Amino acid sequence: MPPAQVTDRIEEGSRGHGTHNTGLRANWRVLAISLYMGISLFGYGFDKGAIAGFQAMPGFLQIFGYETPEGWEIHAGPQQIISSFMILGSMIGSILCGPLGGFLGRRHSVMLGSLLMIVSVIIMILTTSMGVLYFSRLLIGIANGLLLNFTMIYLQECASAHFRGLCFGIATLWITTGTTVGMVINHATSEMLSRKAYQIPLYACFAAPVILIVTLPFLPESPRWLLHHQQEEKALQSLRFFREGACDEIRIQQEFEEMKAIASRESDSPRDWRLFLEIFKGHNLRRTVISVGVGTANAGVGAMFVLAFGTYFFAIAEVADPFKWIMITNCVGLAGILLTWFVVTWVGRRLIILFGCVVCTVCMLVMGVVYSVPGVSHDGAGVAIIILVSIYIFGFNFGLEPYVYLVAGEMPSQQLRAYTMGLANAVSFIFAWLCAFTTPYYINPTELNWGPKVGYLWFGSGLVVCVFVYLALPEVRGRTLEEIDEMFRNGVPTRDFKTYICVEHEEAKARGVARVLVDKPDSEHVEDI
């Protein structure tokens, strides 16, 4: 093809797009990988569903509790530590994500988290020492922190812009699945009067990390991570792997040119501990505030109060068969996360997250009111608490559980993604730890004995979360991570993100066409532009 014609075709291509089939069948590979990678989150969900139930099991309390004339109980102190040490460990694991991510990469960090998960579960199964149990809880928290953050970061950097939200919805299904499985097994073993009551549920935690350690070496590393570590050819191969069947070569090259531009811009940045300080400078500070603010939404609406102490909370509220009802309410939440798959690609993150925050906040208010109004019958209050918890978990899983992690990873720049997302989740875990640490004092009959009236507290913090999401969170549905980076660097106002035209994005498209035409000047795919 003559040079003049090549130039004309490049100019034509810069005004269009390569072919990207957005059908589910064409994108089956990245969706299947999301489902596969999501198994790393099973243990995190299982912990929320099972460990809270252990604290109501006679078999567990015979080892780590004490006997009273009414039955077996556990002191508030050990109850606090058992729940809060996992959260504390998750905070530590999240903080480690920045330096570990730069050195090990995304896949190997997930493998490290899987190994720590196996070790911590073995210790928890074998020990009868309270101190060793505390250590295992801290270790399993570190494992969950690594697995949660690096799974999300890997999917952020590998999924296409159109399917990023759906991929997160698919992956986080495993959190709710883990919680549900933990509750089901707990329900089946709860009446056992031996250590097997809690050991049997723990065995279920081995499958996911073993599968990941064995199979992850066969997946490519994140193309963006490879580019930032001067492995351009491997990065392009990785991108082709994830886009195979959905994008033609022009579209792949256009996306690759966007990634290269960011990698080139950030190549001179420090790669040691000083990189952490960059998240508080310039436009990165705005990104950090949004990531951390939205990341704490889970804790802000009282999720840890409902999820970590659900079974115990139902018991002290005198709801009959609390194990059964917490399991049923969690299945309602599972329906919520499945439903969100059908709307996230079309509605976007901001509206969904805001909806989840409002639903959870209102539920907390109604919960407090129901148990404050005189004359409400005991049975009526019990029915009300079941309905409210069901609605709460549905709203939480529909609008918050998947997408606070999505937003925390979409906002930062490429080189700071692990640092920023790790900080956001660490702060979220700090607030969750405070909740887990203080909640026993609020609800325990031997302490303040507020019971469901503690909902007033979470109503207040939920209002703050709702206002922040409404004012600060931009809508980035369908935008590439590089487009988001450009908009933050250019100081685009929150309300203008949906309509802003990214110049660098258009320039990258033109370079992608040029690269294809130079390599394959007779390519017929250009006609599809």
Side-chain angles (χ1 to χ4, degrees), residues 19 24 45 63 86 159 162 233 251 281 304 309 352 383 390 436 451 487-488:
T19 301
L24 295 177
I63 306 297
M86 191 282 288
H162 182 78
E233 189 57 38
R251 184 58 176 257
K281 297 179 180 179
M304 205 63 197
F309 294 94
I352 291 178
V383 171
S390 299
M487 287 188 283
F488 274 113

Side-chain angles (χ1 to χ4, degrees), residues 47-49 51-53 55 83 87 303-312 435-436:
D47 196 279
K48 292 193 293 186
I51 300 302
Q55 298 173 45
S83 297
I87 304 169
M304 205 63 197
F305 164 61
V306 175
L307 300 175
F309 294 94
T311 308
Y312 181 79
C435 173

Side-chain angles (χ1 to χ4, degrees), residues 244-365:
E244 183 176 338
C247 299
D248 66 0
E249 183 63 19
I250 290 178
R251 184 58 176 257
I252 291 172
Q253 292 293 347
Q254 288 174 327
E255 188 173 356
F256 191 62
E257 286 297 321
E258 276 193 281
M259 295 181 186
K260 284 173 57 181
I262 299 297
S264 176
R265 179 180 291 107
E266 297 179 348
S267 60
D268 295 332
S269 299
R271 295 187 180 273
D272 53 21
W273 63 269
R274 293 173 298 170
L275 197 59
F276 179 76
L277 301 178
E278 295 296 317
I279 67 178
F280 303 109
K281 297 179 180 179
H283 57 81
N284 288 322
L285 177 60
R286 179 188 176 194
R287 297 164 149 187
T288 302
V289 169
I290 295 173
S291 296
V292 172
V294 176
T296 57
N298 284 359
V301 298
M304 205 63 197
F305 164 61
V306 175
L307 300 175
F309 294 94
T311 308
Y312 181 79
F313 178 64
F314 273 10
I316 65 171
E318 300 183 22
V319 172
D321 200 350
F323 279 99
K324 180 185 74 175
W325 282 110
I326 197 66
M327 188 168 57
I328 291 173
T329 57
N330 197 70
C331 289
V332 174
L334 188 61
I337 204 169
L338 290 172
L339 180 61
T340 197
W341 292 5
F342 299 96
V343 299
V344 64
T345 303
W346 314 109
V347 175
R349 297 89 163 98
R350 186 173 181 273
L351 187 59
I352 291 178
I353 292 175
L354 190 59
F355 171 81
C357 290
V358 170
V359 168
C360 292
T361 301
V362 171
C363 283
M364 286 299 186
L365 174 63

Side-chain angles (χ1 to χ4, degrees), residues 260-494:
K260 284 173 57 181
I262 299 297
S264 176
R265 179 180 291 107
E266 297 179 348
S267 60
D268 295 332
S269 299
R271 295 187 180 273
D272 53 21
W273 63 269
R274 293 173 298 170
L275 197 59
F276 179 76
L277 301 178
E278 295 296 317
I279 67 178
F280 303 109
K281 297 179 180 179
H283 57 81
N284 288 322
L285 177 60
R286 179 188 176 194
R287 297 164 149 187
T288 302
V289 169
I290 295 173
S291 296
V292 172
V294 176
T296 57
N298 284 359
V301 298
M304 205 63 197
F305 164 61
V306 175
L307 300 175
F309 294 94
T311 308
Y312 181 79
F313 178 64
F314 273 10
I316 65 171
E318 300 183 22
V319 172
D321 200 350
F323 279 99
K324 180 185 74 175
W325 282 110
I326 197 66
M327 188 168 57
I328 291 173
T329 57
N330 197 70
C331 289
V332 174
L334 188 61
I337 204 169
L338 290 172
L339 180 61
T340 197
W341 292 5
F342 299 96
V343 299
V344 64
T345 303
W346 314 109
V347 175
R349 297 89 163 98
R350 186 173 181 273
L351 187 59
I352 291 178
I353 292 175
L354 190 59
F355 171 81
C357 290
V358 170
V359 168
C360 292
T361 301
V362 171
C363 283
M364 286 299 186
L365 174 63
V366 176
M367 184 187 299
V369 170
V370 167
Y371 276 81
S372 300
V373 175
V376 177
S377 68
H378 181 273
D379 291 341
V383 171
I385 206 70
I386 292 172
I387 294 173
L388 286 171
V389 170
S390 299
I391 296 173
Y392 180 98
I393 295 179
F394 177 88
F396 176 77
N397 282 340
F398 179 86
L400 285 171
E401 182 75 286
Y403 305 118
V404 294
Y405 303 118
L406 175 63
V407 167
E410 283 180 328
M411 299 296 115
S413 64
Q414 174 61 32
Q415 64 176 349
L416 299 177
R417 182 162 293 111
Y419 285 92
T420 308
M421 188 170 184
L423 176 65
N425 285 328
V427 172
S428 176
F429 283 125
I430 289 173
F431 280 103
W433 175 78
L434 286 172
C435 173
F437 193 80
T438 58
T439 292
Y441 283 118
Y442 295 134
I443 66 176
N444 198 302
T446 62
E447 304 294 340
L448 292 177
N449 194 26
W450 286 2
K453 294 179 184 178
V454 78
Y456 287 125
L457 178 67
W458 298 116
F459 170 69
S461 64
L463 279 180
V464 175
V465 171
C466 291
V467 172
F468 177 84
V469 170
Y470 179 78
L471 295 177
L473 180 62
E475 179 55 69
V476 295
R477 177 177 64 88
R479 298 284 195 170
T480 66
L481 298 179
E482 289 71 29
E483 286 181 280
I484 297 170
D485 180 80
E486 181 180 345
M487 287 188 283
F488 274 113
R489 283 188 286 104
N490 292 339
V492 178
T494 300

Side-chain angles (χ1 to χ4, degrees), residues 165-180:
L166 179 57
C167 287
F168 266 65
I170 292 173
T172 51
L173 174 67
W174 283 100
I175 298 179
T176 308
T177 301
T179 304
T180 304

